[in-house]
Amino acid sequence: MMLDHVATALREALVRVEAASSTAELRAAETELLGKRGPFAQFKAQLGALASPADKRDGGRALNEATQRVSAALAARRADLAAAERAIQLEAERLDLTEVRIAPRRGHAHIVTQAWERLEDVFIGLGFQVAEGPEVETDWYNFEALNTPPNHPARSEHDTFYLDYGTPGSTLLRTHTSPVQIRVMQTLTPPIYMVMPGRVFRNETADATHLAVFHQIEGLVVDRGITLAHLAGTIEAFTKAFFGDGFTSRLRPSYFPFTEPSGEFDIRTPRGDWLEIGGCGMVHPNVIRAGGLDPEEWSGFAFGFGIDRMAKERHGVGDVREMYSNDLRFLEQF
Ligand code: PHE
């Protein structure tokens, strides 16, 4: 009799466990089924009232087996429901980070680098090549090979930074890009059509138009039969290519030890203002010789001007120091 009841209660209990659709429902089912008032607890209480020891034993065994099966079913169902609930919770709490669009801040080349690269582009367009030389130079390359011997008055204009290296006065931070002229002539055989951009140094107090560290671009042409007309024509072609058709250039007589004759070149804006740009001239025979070439065979012209200055004029910057202040509010404008 009792065994039938236990078997029925077990079947119903298993159905109940399977039917639980949440862990909360399952907990309720567990208390109901296996708690003190559950069917199996009641059967257990009735066991004592059974007359035969064999019935007691069989009933006890059946009850144990039934409660174990219910416990196992509860555990299995709990694991399933917990996994399902966890999946739902994870899905609900998922943060889609791909939706948070923080646009990356993209940098750009510095205003002086832009001018440097544009100058290179324009000269490459005119048929020049690009070379660079060292920033630490010897006195010989920076001055002597450029026809500026010791005690030459032109040296005093350069406010040179000397390095504490070798014989005093022998090693310095180049004061202009002109020493690269010598290095190029020593390395290449003409025809030479070269521009040489780079950083230069002068021991000057910075002000709105001067910096102690700035940039120049040097030009050097060495070929047969080069004349001042080639120099003037090149400066004019460069002016139009870099600034635009409305601009023109002029040469004014000047003096540099390494060129003869020497000039300064200015550029006229469409509004009629003149901008002083740089120095130029026909390469001095002594300089051609220092470069290892024969001045009877080769002649050339050279020019040099400030890159920072070009950036300043092109963008109407009032004070060159602003370009190196590392202030993003300034730099982001260009
Ligand atoms: N090196 C000169 C300077 O720094 C410029 C220059 C270059 C002049 C080439 C003539 C020829 O002022």
Side-chain angles (χ1 to χ4, degrees):
M1 255 313 275
M2 185 170 164
L3 291 184
D4 292 342
H5 290 310
V6 171
T8 309
L10 174 60
R11 261 197 316 275
E12 286 172 4
L14 293 178
V15 170
R16 179 81 204 280
V17 168
E18 272 324 293
S21 61
S22 69
T23 49
E25 252 182 75
L26 194 67
R27 259 197 309 281
E30 183 172 18
T31 331
E32 250 172 63
L33 295 170
L34 298 181
K36 281 192 188 105
R37 301 201 183 146
F40 303 103
Q42 287 175 24
F43 290 136
K44 200 172 174 189
Q46 293 164 19
L47 267 183
L50 291 178
S52 98
D55 283 353
K56 276 187 186 169
R57 189 195 60 220
D58 292 347
R61 200 178 276 155
L63 260 181
N64 271 343
E65 220 181 274
T67 50
Q68 273 165 25
R69 286 188 57 192
V70 173
S71 291
L74 280 165
R77 186 69 186 146
R78 188 179 299 116
D80 286 354
L81 287 172
E85 284 173 10
R86 177 119 187 91
I88 288 166
Q89 188 187 2
L90 279 180
E91 185 60 31
E93 289 178 357
R94 189 171 75 182
L95 279 183
D96 186 353
L97 295 177
T98 60
E99 277 182 6
V100 185
R101 287 215 54 216
I102 302 165
R105 278 160 61 97
R106 187 158 176 189
H108 62 71
H110 185 268
I111 174 172
V112 173
T113 308
Q114 289 178 37
W116 174 321
E117 289 176 350
R118 212 168 147 255
L119 287 164
E120 281 187 2
D121 287 348
V122 166
F123 280 112
I124 287 169
L126 294 174
F128 284 76
Q129 289 179 294
V130 181
E132 288 184 33
E135 292 173 0
V136 173
E137 268 296 9
T138 60
D139 178 86
W140 189 80
Y141 277 103
N142 195 80
F143 290 122
E144 229 170 306
L146 291 165
N147 200 35
T148 320
N151 303 318
H152 191 288
R155 285 195 178 213
S156 61
E157 285 168 27
H158 280 239
D159 305 304
T160 311
F161 282 115
Y162 286 96
L163 272 77
D164 187 5
Y165 181 84
T167 335
S170 64
T171 318
L172 45 81
L173 294 178
R174 65 180 178 191
T175 57
H176 52 175
T177 42
S178 299
V180 194
Q181 287 187 31
I182 305 294
R183 293 183 176 276
V184 165
M185 283 189 273
Q186 285 179 331
T187 318
L188 303 176
T189 35
I192 292 167
Y193 291 81
M194 193 71 77
V195 285
M196 296 145 270
R199 184 170 294 145
V200 301
F201 309 83
R202 289 188 196 175
N203 191 359
E204 295 184 28
T205 310
D207 62 27
T209 51
H210 297 89
L211 294 164
V213 180
F214 56 105
H215 303 83
Q216 288 187 332
I217 186 164
E218 190 86 8
L220 175 70
V221 166
V222 179
D223 206 341
R224 291 196 167 87
I226 295 294
T227 70
L228 195 67
H230 295 117
L231 169 58
T234 302
I235 297 282
E236 182 67 12
F238 159 74
T239 300
K240 296 223 167 349
F242 188 81
F243 289 98
D245 277 340
F247 292 76
T248 52
S249 63
R250 75 174 173 199
L251 302 188
R252 274 182 295 121
S254 185
Y255 174 77
F256 296 99
F258 32 91
T259 43
E260 180 59 38
S262 299
E264 309 240 352
F265 63 98
D266 305 332
I267 284 169
R268 197 181 114 109
T269 72
R271 288 175 41 212
D273 311 326
W274 287 97
L275 303 175
E276 293 179 14
I277 299 291
C280 62
M282 301 307 291
V283 184
H284 195 288
N286 288 349
V287 174
I288 301 240
R289 221 171 276 123
L293 301 173
D294 178 3
E296 298 297 326
E297 185 178 1
W298 304 104
S299 56
F301 66 76
F303 55 84
F305 56 88
I307 298 176
D308 317 73
R309 180 76 205 287
M310 298 299 260
K312 178 179 181 289
E313 295 304 335
R314 177 143 185 263
H315 296 287
V317 174
D319 188 325
V320 276
R321 289 171 295 190
E322 290 219 75
M323 299 198 289
Y324 295 96
S325 62
N326 276 344
D327 186 338
L328 281 179
R329 290 169 303 179
F330 173 82
L331 294 172
E332 279 174 344
Q333 298 174 55
F334 307 101

